[in-house]
Amino acid sequence: GEGVKPFTPEKAKEIVMTLQQPAVFCNMVGHWPALHWNVKYLSAMLDGKTIQFRLGLKTVDLVPQFETRCSYVEATLEEFLAWNCGQPSCLSGPFSCFDSSKYWAYADYKYIARIFEDKPEIFQDIRWSDFGFPGRSGKESTLWIGSEGANTPCHLDSYGCNLVLQVEGRKRWHLFPPGDTGFLYPTRIPYEESSIFSKVNIANPDLKRFPKFRNSTAHVVTLSPGQVLLVPRHWWHYVESIDPVTVSINSWIELDADHEARVEEAITRMLVCAIKSAENPSDGDLWLNPTEVEATSHEINLQYLNQAVSAYLKCQKTSVSEQAHCSSTAAEQRTGASCKRKKREVGCDPDSCGLLTRGFDFSTSKAEELQKIPFGPHLIQVLPQSQETSSMGAVAVESDSRDLPCENEGEHVGKLQRRRKQLVMSNDCEMSAHQMDSDSSPRTLQTALSTNDLLDCLVNPHVINLVAQLLLERTGV
């Protein structure tokens, strides 16, 4: 009947917290008022308020179009719509320097709690409680508005897992499992806390420079309005808008594993800021992403590291005592749900601390766990690209119109949307990084190593993980 969802909040939460592969939820949000949040509606709600748009070229280069390579304008959604439609009135507006046939625009990472701070009642239009997260609404969500071609470079998020609701238009997601990290050439330049970027432009990979990318396995899905995508922890993703206008809403679900990730991010920040800040500034490479306001000092970074380690150890101590309590009542608690943990010291949602990707402690094998997942018309696997033509492939995840209205058409832990500030590095790095990319001759390899090349090795995710483990062992003694 109307209003009946295929999964209870408890079952949906179990799926979110245990499934280690991307999947699409269908027919779960048909009653959400947020499904009416197309750009025209949002324009009326914002009532002339300007937001920042990131602009990039539609031409596809071999190099990812990182945020440091984009342009930025402040504009209203009304101006964005007029520009996107090619109206003459835009010749003198904020988009006047950008031809809509050559550029895309993306209002990304807009925290709903900020842009609608004067309309808090709108937060309730988003109801993540249906996925088992009571109290989570638009206040803990982020808004993304783009034109055709708008994209997010391939990256993985260090913290949490991700639930993404598509509202207007369609977006194509290219997802890669954590095991493909070595094939995606991870880099921390541009640096942004909690985002590890890939050097590979997924839309046009340079296989001469990045031959191991051939070994990667893309899971591709086109997300349509009314569908919700689950992006599990540490899955790489490249996202592009494929319709004239797209609107999506997401929320990052905090995990207990974030405690260790926070330690790793603190180590990375110390190393990157210390090494890059030691270079002589020039007008070359912009190493700091626009979402980071400045390169913090060594003293501040060390304080951040100590706070992260303390939070991790406190959570571990709490975990041990609660696991002992859980084991004593295991016969009564056969659901496998983990015990609730205390609120984290840093950046923790009080209702979500204790939610582990391993939180449902099934004693069965991974294959048996997957058999318990109710895949079907309401929960669709995002399969590897080579399997898209199978019965559960890309065609199956197209929008279910029964879950849609009739339309024409918290912040993420560790990330803050801030004003754009450019920080630069030395002439040596500016020259050598480009030469190494374009020339693989022995002479170049011997003479053109840059600071960025060193950092790519030094702060590689596997190296940082090992350093974090050694540091935590030292601290725990």
Side-chain angles (χ1 to χ4, degrees), residues 365-429:
S365 67
K366 183 176 180 181
E368 290 173 329
E369 282 187 23
L370 283 175
Q371 290 178 0
K372 293 184 178 181
I373 301 295
F375 292 118
H378 307 299
L379 182 68
I380 301 170
Q381 299 182 68
V382 180
L383 296 176
Q385 195 167 21
S386 60
Q387 302 177 32
E388 278 188 350
T389 55
S390 68
S391 59
M392 294 297 291
V395 175
V397 298
E398 292 303 323
S399 175
D400 185 344
S401 60
R402 293 174 299 175
D403 200 31
L404 300 174
C406 181
E407 293 288 344
N408 288 330
E409 66 116 81
E411 294 188 354
H412 181 204
V413 180
K415 283 187 174 181
L416 297 175
Q417 181 68 19
R418 304 177 177 115
R419 66 183 178 88
R420 185 173 187 245
K421 183 174 181 178
Q422 298 180 339
L423 297 181
V424 294
M425 65 175 218
S426 72
N427 284 320
D428 292 340
C429 299

Side-chain angles (χ1 to χ4, degrees), residues 102-120:
K102 297 179 180 179
Y103 286 87
W104 49 258
Y106 209 2
D108 51 356
Y109 248 110
K110 303 306 176 209
Y111 295 105
I112 292 173
R114 293 181 181 178
I115 62 175
F116 290 114
E117 59 186 352
D118 57 336
K119 296 182 175 67

Side-chain angles (χ1 to χ4, degrees), residues 44 54 57 94 101 150 165-166 184 210 214 238 296 341 344 356-357 436 459:
R54 176 165 61 95
L57 285 167
S101 66
L165 166 65
Q166 194 62 27
L184 290 164
F210 309 117
R214 290 187 178 93
Y238 166 79
T296 43
R341 314 224 175 168
R344 289 202 291 260
L356 288 158
T357 31
M436 268 201 76
V459 296

